[in-house]
Each structure stands twice: as structure tokens, then as C-alpha cells.
């Protein structure tokens, strides 16, 4: 196990940032001097849970964030600080609603079945002005800006700095591009075990925002920050391996698309629970402006609105781009990095347990011919529909943890109520003279 005090001496660390992610994906932290890290590593940093987006009251006892020393990351842009993801504990018991705890529970469930889930994500974000009200690059105006080499080079200083840091961290980044919306970028790095991917995803969002601020910009992973443009997805590539992590249990060259029977049933679980899954993969009011969007300026939303799967075809909720893995295209940039991985594993394990059939494979262009698919469920139209679908899915709630599910539904319900009680300019513009 990593000795954090020794790590600090070796790396020149002055401070550790003990960090956890709350139910809404907010990253919370305490800055701890290196000389105090030994005590914090043993006992945890104390937090008042009610002060974050967790289902607690001011009367709850101290919540302790116990750092995972094996996951420590020295911050490349501020190397005297190290970031430490933490597991939440209260009165010597894991906090059931803590997102990292929820994921660890699913990883343990997969391990009991002799399986290791490995994932990679495609993280998309916009670079905006500091006020967040417009795209930062005034020359980024093309109708089809995807892969625009001039536009990516105008933001070279930002994206190259981030990529350099990922190289230094050993994440194996392999491509960066200007995405389908003006001002939008995507960065990809190597796949890994689900917890490693979740920690890196969480740190990546922190790093991108920090580097953008350093350059006088504002980065956002908001699902649909600019009306009429393609939104921020967070596509997840999923494979399941034997416990040794060396044999891909999803791969079978003799089966359709190279996806094994186990892989098909895991996919079947994703399809079965898709409507409920959306409450976690698409967790904000704004999320449903991405998956239910009209055609964008570029000509496509690149987001699903129907529960369908296919081969190498990006117009469906799930595509199988090659043997032994599949891509879930439903999640967006607001997804909690830990809950995203957890709900995928839970749904997949449910499918394997029930030998779920993923249903028919469609090879059509869903954007042009989706209206011809009559028997596939539609994804929720808004956050309230998604919350209700999740609440109605007793099995998925049980697998994730009934205590977690109750807290998540409660807080997300409050978020929806806050939204619908808000008076918008649209209402005034369209109903003031009635």
C-alpha cells in the first residue's frame, strides 16, 4: 500500500487534496498539509454531509472521507499538490449513498461472478468565455466544425497542455479533436478497470476546468450548453473480462458481431433497464435537451432517443463497433463519474443473471428511419420521467442499494421541483398577453 507521507517526501508534495464526489457530481475537497496526511490517511478528513448534495441533515454526525492511497494523482499543473479520491464513512460504516461506495459495491458483485468490468469514456466539453455566455473562439463558426484543424489549433495551448498532463500521468491518451459543435472538443485516453476509469474521469473534469481557467476560459461539460448545437455526450465503451483481466469474456468470433453470449446478456440488461438508467446517465433537466433535441446546425444530434442497438452505426443508443465490446451512447457530460460506471455494471449483471435478450438489432439510420421502429421503448422525455422510471425499477434500485436509490430519487425530485417552480422568460414572452 502506498505510504502517503513517503510519497510526499519523494514527489515534493506540500498538500494533499482529499476529494469526494456527491450525488449531483459536485467535487468536494479539503486541502491537507503533507505533514498531517498520516493521520488523515488513517482517520479520514471530516465533512458535514448536509453542506453538500447528499441526503443528510445538519444533525448527522461527522462524515469522514478516507483517502484511497493507491489512487493518488500528483497534479501536473500544480505538482506540489496531490489529489486523493476518497471513500465516505460515517460511524465506522460506509455511507451507502456515497457514489464511490456505490461503484465499489458493483465491482465487488462482478468479482463474485468472476468478472472484471473495463471501460473507457469519450469526454466532450465546450470552451466558453469566462462568463459562460458564448463560445470563446469568435472564428469557430463553421456549419460542420467537426475535426476542423484550424479550430483545434486555435485552442492548441489548452488541449495540448491537458494531453501532455495525461501523457505524464500514464493514461495513454490517443486522440484529441474538435467535435461536432462550435467550441466543442473531445479527448480520449486508454480504457481501464471501472474504478480507475471513474477516478480518472473525475480528475479529468477537474483538470480541464482548471487548465481552461488558467488560460482565461471556462470549460463546461453541461449536456446542452448552446441551443441549436450538438450537446456534450460521454460515451462509454464497455467490455467484461475474466477475473485475471486478461481474457475478454465478451469476445467470441463465432457469434454475431463477435459478441459472446455473456456479452449479449450484459447488453440485454442495459436494454432492459435503459429507461431507468437514464436518471443516472442523464441526470439533469438540461440532459433531455440533448437526447430529445431537434436536428442541430451540423445536421445531427449524435444522441439517441430510442432504446435500440446496432453494429457499427452511431445513430443508436448502443453500437457494437468491434468484437468483444460495445459503446453506450446515452450518457452525457453531467453524468456522475462513479454512478455512471455503477449503473452500467448493475444493469449488465442483472442482464447476465436473467439471461436477458437485447432484442432485435437494427441497422437503419435512426435519425432518418427511426419512425419505422414501432416496438422499441422511447427514452424519457424529461428528468421527471426518468426519475419515475428509475423509481419503478425495483431490481435496479436494489442492486445499487435501496438507501442510495431513495436518497437519489429524493434529491433529484427536489431538483425537478425547483426547476418547475422557476418562471422563465419563455413563459413571459408567450403568455403575458393572454
Amino acid at each position: 500500500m502506498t505510504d502517503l507521507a513517503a510519497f510526499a517526501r519523494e514527489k515534493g508534495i506540500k498538500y494533499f487534496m482529499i476529494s469526494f464526489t456527491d450525488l449531483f457530481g459536485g467535487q468536494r475537497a479539503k486541502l491537507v498539509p503533507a505533514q498531517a496526511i498520516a493521520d488523515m490517511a488513517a482517520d479520514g478528513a471530516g465533512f458535514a454531509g448536509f453542506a453538500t448534495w447528499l441526503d443528510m441533515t445538519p444533525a448527522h454526525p461527522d462524515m469522514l472521507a478516507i483517502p484511497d492511497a493507491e489512487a493518488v494523482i500528483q497534479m501536473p499543473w500544480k505538482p506540489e499538490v496531490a489529489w486523493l479520491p476518497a471513500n465516505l464513512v460515517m460511524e465506522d460504516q460506509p455511507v451507502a449513498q456515497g457514489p464511490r461506495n456505490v461503484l465499489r459495491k458493483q465491482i465487488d458483485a462482478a468479482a463474485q461472478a468472476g468478472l472484471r468490468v473495463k471501460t473507457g469514456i469519450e469526454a466532450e466539453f465546450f470552451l466558453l468565455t469566462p462568463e459562460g455566455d458564448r463560445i470563446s473562439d469568435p472564428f469557430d463558426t463553421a456549419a460542420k466544425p467537426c475535426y476542423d484543424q484550424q479550430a483545434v489549433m486555435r485552442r492548441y495551448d489548452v488541449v495540448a497542455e491537458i494531453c501532455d498532463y495525461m501523457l505524464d500521468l500514464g493514461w495513454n491518451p490517443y486522440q484529441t479533436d474538435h467535435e461536432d459543435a462550435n467550441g466543442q472538443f473531445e479527448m480520449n485516453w486508454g480504457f481501464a478497470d471501472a474504478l480507475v476509469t471513474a477516478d480518472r474521469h473525475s480528475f479529468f473534469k477537474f483538470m480541464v476546468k482548471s487548465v481552461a481557467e488558467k488560460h482565461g476560459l471556462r470549460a463546461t461539460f453541461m449536456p446542452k450548453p448552446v441551443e441549436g448545437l450538438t450537446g456534450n455526450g460521454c460515451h462509454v465503451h464497455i467490455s467484461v473480462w475474466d477475473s485475471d483481466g486478461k481474457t475478454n469474456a465478451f469476445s467470441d468470433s463465432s457469434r454475431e458481431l463477435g459478441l459472446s453470449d455473456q456479452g449479449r446478456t450484459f447488453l440485454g440488461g442495459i436494454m432492459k433497464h435503459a429507461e431507468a438508467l437514464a436518471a443516472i446517465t442523464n441526470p439533469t433537466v438540461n440532459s433531455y435537451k440533448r437526447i430529445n433535441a431537434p436536428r442541430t446546425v451540423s445536421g445531427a444530434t449524435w444522441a439517441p432517443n430510442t432504446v435500440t442497438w446496432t453494429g457499427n452505426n452511431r445513430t443508436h443508443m448502443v453500437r457494437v463497433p468491434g468484437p468483444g465490446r460495445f459503446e453506450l451512447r446515452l450518457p452525457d457530460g453531467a453524468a456522475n463519474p462513479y454512478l455512471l460506471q455503477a449503473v452500467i455494471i448493475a444493469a449488465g449483471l442483472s442482464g447476465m443473471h436473467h439471461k436477458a435478450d437485447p432484442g432485435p438489432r437494427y441497422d437503419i439510420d435512426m435519425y432518418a428511419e427511426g419512425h419505422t421502429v414501432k416496438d422499441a421503448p422511447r427514452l424519457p422525455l424529461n428528468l421527471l420521467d426518468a426519475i419515475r422510471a428509475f423509481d419503478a425499477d425495483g431490481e435496479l434500485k436494489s442492486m445499487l442499494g435501496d438507501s442510495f436509490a431513495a436518497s437519489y430519487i429524493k434529491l433529484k425530485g427536489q431538483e425537478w421541483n425547483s426547476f418547475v417552480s422557476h418562471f422563465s422568460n419563455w413563459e413571459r414572452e408567450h403568455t403575458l398577453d393572454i
Side-chain angles (χ1 to χ4, degrees):
M1 180 172 179
T2 300
D3 181 329
L4 291 172
F7 181 87
R9 290 191 297 271
E10 178 188 348
K11 302 290 187 180
I13 303 299
K14 294 181 180 179
Y15 291 93
F16 287 89
M17 179 173 281
I18 298 179
S19 174
F20 72 91
T21 301
D22 66 22
L23 285 174
F24 283 13
Q27 297 185 32
R28 313 290 179 159
K30 283 196 171 179
L31 206 58
V32 174
Q35 67 186 41
I37 194 59
D39 289 339
M40 294 295 167
D43 302 327
F47 291 83
F50 175 73
T52 73
W53 287 115
L54 292 169
D55 183 21
M56 295 181 185
T57 73
H60 273 81
D62 281 351
M63 181 179 70
L64 299 173
I66 309 294
D68 183 344
E70 301 307 308
V72 64
I73 298 176
Q74 186 173 12
M75 288 164 53
W77 68 96
K78 196 167 285 293
E80 69 270 25
V81 181
W83 182 83
L84 272 169
N87 301 317
L88 299 179
V89 172
M90 185 178 288
E91 297 185 321
D92 297 323
Q93 296 297 316
V95 175
Q97 61 182 286
R100 201 170 191 267
N101 290 339
V102 176
L103 173 55
R104 289 165 66 224
K105 176 183 174 183
Q106 298 310 309
I107 291 169
D108 288 345
Q112 289 171 14
L115 300 171
R116 281 171 65 175
V117 180
K118 297 187 180 187
T119 58
I121 62 161
E122 300 176 3
E124 297 175 348
F125 59 92
F126 280 74
L127 291 174
L128 306 177
T129 59
E131 300 77 19
D133 59 349
R134 64 188 185 279
I135 293 161
S136 63
D137 180 356
F139 300 105
D140 192 350
T141 59
K144 281 187 175 289
C146 203
Y147 315 124
D148 186 326
Q149 66 183 18
Q150 289 297 134
V152 79
M153 288 305 293
R154 285 196 296 271
R155 286 290 171 256
Y156 173 84
D157 289 349
V158 179
V159 296
E161 183 174 342
I162 296 166
C163 190
D164 284 347
Y165 293 157
M166 289 194 284
L167 287 165
D168 292 342
L169 292 169
W171 290 12
N172 300 316
Y174 56 89
Q175 63 184 18
T176 296
D177 65 73
H178 190 292
E179 264 298 321
D180 194 59
N182 308 107
Q184 186 186 42
F185 299 84
E186 176 181 299
M187 306 187 77
N188 306 134
W189 64 90
F191 72 98
D193 286 326
L195 184 60
V196 174
T197 293
D199 283 336
R200 289 177 177 176
H201 184 189
S202 184
F203 185 79
F204 178 79
K205 295 179 78 171
F206 172 48
M207 178 164 62
V208 168
K209 291 175 183 178
S210 298
V211 173
E213 289 171 5
K214 173 183 169 182
H215 288 269
L217 306 175
R218 184 173 183 177
T220 181
F221 295 83
M222 180 180 177
K224 188 78 167 178
V226 183
E227 185 176 0
L229 298 185
T230 304
N232 283 324
C234 185
H235 306 151
V236 185
H237 291 262
I238 305 153
S239 58
V240 173
W241 300 67
D242 290 348
S243 56
D244 62 6
K246 297 177 181 178
T247 305
N248 187 334
F250 271 16
S251 183
D252 184 344
S253 59
S254 70
R255 307 297 290 170
E256 181 184 10
L257 299 176
L259 194 63
S260 70
D261 290 341
Q262 278 189 311
R264 281 184 63 87
T265 59
F266 194 103
L267 173 57
I270 298 291
M271 305 299 286
K272 172 185 175 183
H273 295 286
E275 294 162 275
L277 196 115
I280 292 175
T281 58
N282 307 83
T284 70
V285 169
N286 180 258
S287 294
Y288 297 86
K289 289 179 167 60
R290 168 183 168 264
I291 63 173
N292 289 301
R295 188 182 299 271
T296 65
V297 170
S298 73
T301 65
W302 301 105
N305 64 11
T306 307
V307 183
T308 57
W309 73 281
T310 186
N312 199 352
N313 176 335
R314 288 181 170 85
T315 65
H316 293 256
M317 189 187 81
V318 177
R319 73 171 176 132
V320 183
R325 66 184 173 98
F326 62 82
E327 177 193 37
L328 179 63
R329 298 180 58 80
L330 175 58
D332 63 45
N336 185 308
Y338 298 98
L339 298 181
L340 171 60
Q341 301 292 328
V343 78
I344 287 170
I345 297 173
L349 292 178
S350 164
M352 293 178 75
H353 177 72
H354 294 290
K355 296 187 176 356
D357 185 339
R361 165 184 154 195
Y362 293 95
D363 292 322
I364 62 174
D365 179 347
M366 283 297 290
Y367 300 153
E369 304 171 78
H371 64 280
T372 65
V373 179
K374 303 298 184 184
D375 55 351
R378 291 293 298 269
L379 289 164
L381 290 173
N382 53 54
L383 180 60
L384 179 61
D385 287 349
I387 295 168
R388 287 172 170 168
F390 181 55
D391 195 18
D393 194 328
E395 182 185 16
L396 190 61
K397 289 194 301 181
S398 177
M399 293 188 71
L400 291 168
D402 289 325
S403 177
F404 154 74
S407 294
Y408 189 80
I409 290 166
K410 174 183 174 182
L411 293 185
K412 281 295 167 182
Q414 291 174 356
E415 182 179 7
W416 175 259
N417 290 338
S418 174
F419 167 68
V420 295
S421 65
H422 170 72
F423 285 87
S424 66
N425 287 333
W426 187 96
E427 291 171 274
R428 293 184 179 89
E429 290 170 2
H430 289 81
T431 59
L432 193 63
D433 293 329
I434 288 178

